[in-house]
Amino acid sequence: MKKFLIAGNWKMNKISSETVEFAEGLKAKGLSNAGDVCVLAPFTDIRDLGKALEGSGIGFGAQNVHFEPSGAYTGEISVPMLEDLGVGYCIVGHSERREYFAETDETVNKKLKVLLAAGITPILCVGESLEVREGGGEQTFVAGQVVADFAGIPAEDAARVVVAYEPIWAIGTGKTATPDQAEEMCAFIRGVISGIYDNPTGDAMLILYGGSMKPSNAAELLAKPDINGGLIGGASLKVDDFAAIAEAAAALS
């Protein structure tokens, strides 16, 4: 049976009262049979989100973390802080973090290792720009990210990482990644993982698509053999839209 994860990335949206309202609305949808579902909130919302979702079976997590456990890193959040909040998931290496905040494969690798050691599931984002895609170097670029990000991580730990493919070239450019293009890259990533480790590790890995999944295209994308769910941006901010995507995954489980 194919496994799915539908993860909502709120980015820099929602205050505490909106967080609780959303959580209550999502719980009312009765998604207990929709496979794995989680919401990734701003740091200021995580505690309220966790309390509001308690007992629902819906996971929650953070959008970033620092690789040091403590220290003089003003504005950063550590793994022990996330553990104290009870998070189950954390995004690592999102394209916006890489572009705007100087995230590198080296720091991504460090973050993966500390999250895995803490038992928090990392959602690792990889993907190429429009320039790389138009130059025909998308597979070389993404393979390079995957190899660098997983450096020094043993197979038994790698299997616990969720990978999300984000076609950066299709965000805000007027271009759209087709379901076949999304499947092609997700299958390629699975092959890279199998090459680094072995086929069982590659086959077992959850690989999400992170390019504007919404209720209208979710079923077609999720039906592709190498797409195990979505890292949902805009559609995760509305209860009905997010629940509809989760229900599309449930129908295919």
Side-chain angles (χ1 to χ4, degrees), residues 23-24 26-33 37 47-60 85-86:
E24 294 298 334
L26 193 60
K27 287 194 298 184
K29 293 292 185 178
L31 297 178
S32 59
N33 295 320
V37 177
R47 188 177 297 279
D48 290 330
L49 181 64
K51 289 181 179 178
L53 290 175
E54 191 171 0
S56 68
I58 299 169
F60 66 99
L85 294 172

Side-chain angles (χ1 to χ4, degrees), residues 78-80 82-83 87-88 111-121 160:
S78 69
V79 166
L82 295 185
E83 289 181 297
V87 307
K111 292 178 181 187
L112 285 176
K113 289 173 179 175
V114 296
L115 288 169
L116 289 165
I120 297 171
T121 298
R160 296 190 284 123

Side-chain angles (χ1 to χ4, degrees), residues 6 28 34 42 46 121 124 134 156 175 231 237:
I6 303 300
I46 292 175
T121 298
L124 166 66
E134 289 185 336
E156 59 270 25
K175 298 179 182 292
L231 181 59
L237 298 173

